[in-house]
Amino acid sequence: MRTFNSKPMCTLSMALSNLWRLISRRLMVFELSMQQENSSCQETCDDYFSGQAAALAGGTTMHIDFALPVDGNLAAGYQAWMKKAEESCMDYGFHMAISKWNDDVAKDMDWLVKEKGINSFKFFMAYKGSLMVSDEEIIQGFKKCKELGAVPQVHAENGDAVEEGQNRMIQLGITGPEGHSLSRPSMLEGEATGRAIRLAKFVNTPLYVVHVMSIDALDEISRARHSGQRVIGEPVASGLALDDSKTWDPDFKIAAQYIMSPPLRPAGHKEALQAALSSGILQLVATDHAPFNSTQKALGKHDFRVIPNGVNGIEERMHIVWDTMVVMTSLHPFHNSGKISPMDYVRVTSAACAKIFNIYPRKGAVLPGSDADIIILNPNATTTISAKTHHSRIDTNVYEGWIMKGNIEVTVSQGNVVWEKGTLNVHRGKGRYVYMKPFSYLFDGLDKLDATYLTSLRAPVHRAA
């Protein structure tokens, strides 16, 4: 298994005021668009412009969005997302979700990879009745991804068991937001993660597990990686920083803010995720940014199954990761008591993602020929998070009132200063679609593994007639 110990360029300077600044390139993955929970399907309150403006204010200069098919049609889904992205103000790309399997889907995957620069596809093991696919469909999709050199991704929860858990909660009279967490316990995330890992091993393809939220899922990823399997684990900022305690708040508006899938977990899980990120078991940090305002969330006031799933995070991610994972005790950049170093911070928020999705060193590095996307982070300053000052359209913030160490003071995107001294200067339509080539490093040597497998079969056995 290839390790993730690369050291992207990081320029450090010491001013007379003892101000230490970290300059690095940023790239991330997050969900901005449609989210579905059973029969509930709503547009997030952020569109491409507002979501990306928030991203730039928070030090992120590219995102890869999850695009959904239209009635199962991938080509139509791609066109719909390109239309949404006309308002973009920073660079972007797409993952494409697979919601069913047939010959047309396979043909569209060919077209998207070879002509449209999409090199990853997402399979939902949850959301029964809308996005969930069967094991048979996952196997066929994984095979096609391997053929095309595209990375398969999974939302790992057992959708059948989640539906049973939801019905159980309703029968028990538990209709509030706490029912969401209780209906989809961590064991269901662990089961689905393990199943996806084993199916990927059966096909001999890399696997990317999105928004890892629990120890159960983490254990499956750790076991697979230690065995040499090519599995990428992606925690999200909310999972690293929050637990599920707020979903029991007696105020529905507060509790509903924290509903996402997989759900936030009880105390102990986030600490395990932090440790796994610091040790390399998990490789990069995303957000799963899917903001719904309090009016939208209120649709599920009497039935947690109808609460739109998603929390904010695109503007907060860089601050959350710095404050949670990197704690400076000295002005020297490599004297720290935190869980990761500043160089690791660059890797988990930027370089690792660029390499996985095969756009390094255009993104994820400060090198000649790389895109001029740079941030300046002042570790001695602080950032206070609030819905009153953030740039997303959501009217709440799950990190409300948090005072974080570190502050993104400058963001440069496409060579232009777009964020400086608290002022945002962005323009609609400025974003560029980034083509991502197939066959990233995750596919290196798979042909040799296939050959070894065929040799190990010692079959067919030639028997006398």
Side-chain angles (χ1 to χ4, degrees):
M1 184 72 190
R2 186 183 294 258
T3 57
F4 293 81
N5 57 357
S6 59
K7 296 182 178 179
M9 182 176 291
C10 182
T11 303
L12 306 173
S13 61
M14 190 73 70
L16 293 177
S17 62
N18 290 323
L19 177 65
W20 180 84
R21 293 172 185 257
L22 169 68
I23 303 177
S24 59
R25 185 171 309 282
R26 302 282 149 233
L27 176 143
M28 70 162 298
V29 184
F30 80 104
E31 290 184 299
L32 177 63
S33 302
M34 293 289 290
Q35 298 290 296
Q36 297 187 29
E37 173 67 26
N38 291 339
S39 60
S40 176
C41 178
Q42 291 193 55
E43 194 84 32
T44 61
C45 58
D46 271 339
D47 59 15
Y48 262 75
F49 180 73
S50 64
Q52 290 186 343
L56 290 167
T60 289
T61 57
M62 177 178 171
H63 88 278
I64 309 175
D65 193 14
F66 285 108
L68 297 180
V70 175
D71 296 327
N73 187 302
L74 303 190
Y78 168 81
Q79 297 295 344
W81 252 253
M82 287 298 289
K83 182 67 175 177
K84 294 172 185 283
E86 289 178 357
E87 297 288 296
S88 66
C89 57
M90 74 178 190
D91 293 350
Y92 64 95
F94 297 144
H95 312 285
M96 195 78 214
I98 305 292
S99 59
K100 65 179 182 180
W101 188 258
N102 55 40
D103 290 343
D104 289 336
V105 171
K107 291 177 182 177
D108 281 347
M109 288 176 69
D110 270 305
W111 177 70
L112 290 169
V113 172
K114 295 175 182 177
E115 298 186 31
K116 299 303 177 182
I118 291 178
N119 66 1
S120 56
F121 294 89
K122 184 176 181 181
F123 299 82
F124 287 85
M125 303 173 79
Y127 303 123
K128 186 175 180 180
S130 57
L131 293 172
M132 178 177 160
V133 291
S134 67
D135 285 359
E136 179 183 1
E137 290 170 318
I138 289 173
I139 291 170
Q140 296 304 317
F142 281 11
K143 287 169 60 180
K144 189 64 178 178
C145 283
K146 179 183 177 182
E147 173 194 326
L148 294 171
V151 178
Q153 301 175 296
V154 289
H155 172 134
E157 290 182 287
N158 186 313
D160 289 319
V162 166
E163 183 180 61
E164 174 62 24
Q166 291 174 329
N167 293 336
R168 181 187 300 173
M169 293 304 112
I170 296 299
Q171 290 168 5
L172 291 171
I174 302 172
T175 59
E178 69 278 9
H180 178 77
S181 297
L182 294 170
S183 69
R184 48 209 314 149
S186 60
M187 70 177 76
L188 302 188
E189 184 186 354
E191 184 280 329
T193 301
R195 180 157 40 100
I197 287 171
R198 288 164 180 81
L199 293 178
K201 185 174 183 179
F202 177 68
V203 174
N204 187 27
T205 186
L207 180 68
Y208 186 117
V209 184
V210 303
H211 44 54
V212 178
M213 297 293 286
S214 68
I215 294 173
D216 306 62
L218 177 60
D219 285 346
E220 295 288 348
I221 293 168
S222 177
R223 188 178 302 114
R225 287 180 61 83
H226 279 110
S227 73
Q229 193 173 346
R230 304 179 186 200
V231 179
I232 300 296
E234 171 215 271
V236 291
S238 54
L240 292 172
L242 301 170
D243 60 36
D244 69 348
S245 57
K246 288 290 188 179
T247 59
W248 269 262
D249 194 287
D251 185 331
F252 173 86
K253 180 179 177 180
I254 293 175
Q257 291 178 41
Y258 296 85
I259 298 303
M260 60 180 294
S261 293
L264 295 167
R265 301 300 185 186
H269 288 266
K270 68 177 181 180
E271 291 79 9
L273 295 175
Q274 292 170 16
L277 182 64
S278 68
S279 66
I281 296 172
L282 302 176
Q283 287 71 52
L284 72 166
V285 183
T287 67
D288 209 29
H289 181 78
F292 295 95
N293 62 38
S294 54
T295 302
Q296 292 174 295
K297 293 276 189 176
L299 293 174
K301 189 169 185 177
H302 303 293
D303 187 344
F304 67 84
R305 296 172 298 180
V306 188
I307 300 174
N309 284 204
V311 303
N312 61 284
I314 185 61
E315 187 168 354
E316 297 80 13
R317 179 188 71 125
M318 299 298 292
H319 294 107
I320 292 292
V321 177
W322 181 267
D323 186 81
T324 302
M325 302 298 297
V326 186
V327 181
M328 305 304 297
T329 59
S330 167
L331 290 175
H332 191 283
F334 300 105
H335 291 171
N336 70 305
S337 61
K339 301 174 180 66
I340 62 174
S341 71
M343 293 293 285
D344 290 327
Y345 175 75
V346 175
R347 173 174 55 82
V348 302
T349 61
S350 175
C353 181
K355 292 178 179 180
I356 290 166
F357 295 105
N358 216 15
I359 48 178
Y360 184 91
R362 176 181 175 182
K363 302 291 185 181
V366 179
L367 295 169
S370 298
D371 286 351
D373 300 339
I374 294 172
I375 70 166
I376 298 177
L377 185 152
N378 180 355
N380 293 332
T382 59
T383 299
T384 301
I385 298 177
S386 174
K388 295 179 180 179
T389 56
H390 69 205
H391 296 81
S392 169
R393 290 175 178 167
I394 190 173
D395 60 355
T396 59
N397 194 305
V398 292
Y399 308 104
E400 184 66 39
W402 285 32
I403 301 175
M404 317 293 293
K405 297 182 180 69
N407 179 260
I408 308 295
E409 294 189 338
V410 177
T411 302
V412 178
S413 173
Q414 301 177 19
N416 300 305
V417 176
V418 295
W419 171 256
E420 185 176 21
K421 297 179 181 178
T423 300
L424 193 60
N425 181 25
V426 295
H427 302 281
R428 296 178 186 272
K430 183 71 173 178
R432 301 174 301 188
Y433 180 73
V434 176
Y435 284 75
M436 297 174 287
K437 295 180 180 179
F439 293 104
S440 72
Y441 74 91
L442 292 173
F443 290 85
D444 292 350
L446 283 188
D447 55 340
K448 294 180 180 178
L449 293 177
D450 284 335
T452 300
Y453 165 74
L454 293 174
T455 301
S456 72
L457 297 178
R458 298 183 294 113
V461 175
H462 298 288
R463 296 178 175 88

